[in-house]
Amino acid sequence: MRKYIIADNQELTRYALECLVQKGDESITYPAYDKAGLVALLKEHESAVVVLDYTLFDFADEEQLLIIAERFALSDWLLISDELTPQFLRRIVYSSHQFSVVFKDGQLSEVREALNAVERHARYLSQRALDVIISQQQEEQTPSILTETEKEIVRAIAQGKTTKEIASERFSSVHTITTHRKNIFRKLGVNTAHEVVKYALRAGLIDSSEFYI
């Protein structure tokens, strides 16, 4: 019988997951409340199933998660969260077969199927997770509707530069950059610079490390 590490900081959800994975009177679940505690438990139970709500845990990014999973190669992971970004899902799913994915607002039967799968060392991806990954692929395959100049301006906007700063760097007038901004907003169907930044991240025009906060 496999051991389960429940890494979810919502008490009600953690209790529900513990009930789902317990079989008979034997306790096979261990709670983890942070990354350090999770690693400590994996050292004791290297082949455990980790049921993790990534969004509630103290991982800096998906790279840390992948490193820990690779370190404990005998473990299986079931990610169960309210929301996971397309970029995160693609990176995790394509990088390691240790990860299965369901969402907290999914059907209970789906969670049961996922738990049964990971107990057998099989991967389980919910239909919603597959839809998110596929839609992201389709977006990336869609030809860009922006010109190269507009892409450069989008990068500058995403880096927090003002219209005046962009004009100065490009040796253009403020009026010219303002016109470019209006065209970019119209083409992308957005109304704010924040939405432009989201497009730039999704389209790979900038790396998250370049994001201006």
Side-chain angles (χ1 to χ4, degrees):
M1 187 173 293
R2 299 196 67 180
K3 303 284 192 302
Y4 288 80
I5 299 171
I6 310 298
D8 189 314
N9 287 323
Q10 290 179 328
E11 187 173 0
L12 183 60
T13 306
R14 187 170 64 248
Y15 175 75
L17 290 169
E18 287 171 352
C19 291
L20 283 171
V21 301
Q22 283 180 342
K23 298 178 181 178
D25 297 328
E26 183 181 356
S27 176
I28 57 171
T29 63
Y30 305 90
Y33 303 99
D34 55 27
K35 185 179 61 175
L38 174 58
V39 171
L41 284 169
L42 281 168
K43 288 180 179 178
E44 295 181 35
H45 312 287
E46 293 188 354
S47 61
V49 173
V50 180
V51 184
L52 168 70
D53 187 337
Y54 174 83
T55 60
L56 295 181
F57 252 58
D58 57 336
F59 287 99
D61 53 31
E62 62 266 29
E63 190 64 34
Q64 283 191 349
L65 178 58
L66 287 168
I67 289 171
I68 292 175
E70 184 178 4
R71 178 180 174 187
F72 299 99
L74 298 178
S75 63
D76 291 288
W77 297 67
L78 175 59
L79 303 183
I80 176 167
S81 299
D82 288 318
E83 192 67 43
L84 295 168
T85 67
Q87 294 87 350
F88 173 87
L89 280 176
R90 289 194 65 196
R91 177 76 194 284
I92 292 297
V93 169
Y94 291 162
S95 296
S96 173
H97 285 280
Q98 291 172 259
F99 290 95
S100 297
V101 182
V102 292
F103 289 89
K104 283 187 173 180
D105 60 357
Q107 297 292 322
L108 180 59
S109 59
E110 201 171 52
V111 179
R112 292 184 190 276
E113 288 176 15
L115 288 168
N116 288 334
V118 295
E119 185 174 3
R120 303 189 309 270
H121 301 283
R123 169 183 273 189
Y124 183 94
L125 298 176
S126 70
Q127 186 59 51
R128 179 178 165 190
L130 290 170
D131 290 343
V132 170
I133 293 169
I134 291 170
S135 65
Q136 175 70 7
Q137 288 176 325
Q138 291 173 339
E139 284 184 12
E140 290 180 354
Q141 290 166 359
T142 302
S144 176
I145 57 177
L146 301 181
T147 67
E148 288 304 315
T149 295
E150 289 168 341
K151 288 180 182 179
E152 291 173 5
I153 292 173
V154 166
R155 292 190 194 100
I157 293 172
Q159 291 164 358
K161 295 175 181 177
T162 66
T163 300
K164 186 176 180 180
E165 289 172 333
I166 298 171
S168 176
E169 288 183 357
R170 297 186 62 81
F171 303 102
S172 300
S173 69
V174 171
H175 174 74
T176 298
I177 301 303
T178 299
T179 300
H180 279 307
R181 283 175 63 104
K182 289 180 180 179
N183 288 335
I184 290 166
F185 281 36
R186 176 180 54 79
K187 286 182 176 182
L188 298 182
V190 301
N191 299 299
T192 66
H194 177 68
E195 291 174 298
V196 171
V197 172
K198 287 171 64 177
Y199 169 84
L201 286 167
R202 189 171 62 247
L205 297 178
I206 60 169
D207 187 85
S208 57
S209 63
E210 298 179 88
F211 188 83
Y212 180 83
I213 300 176

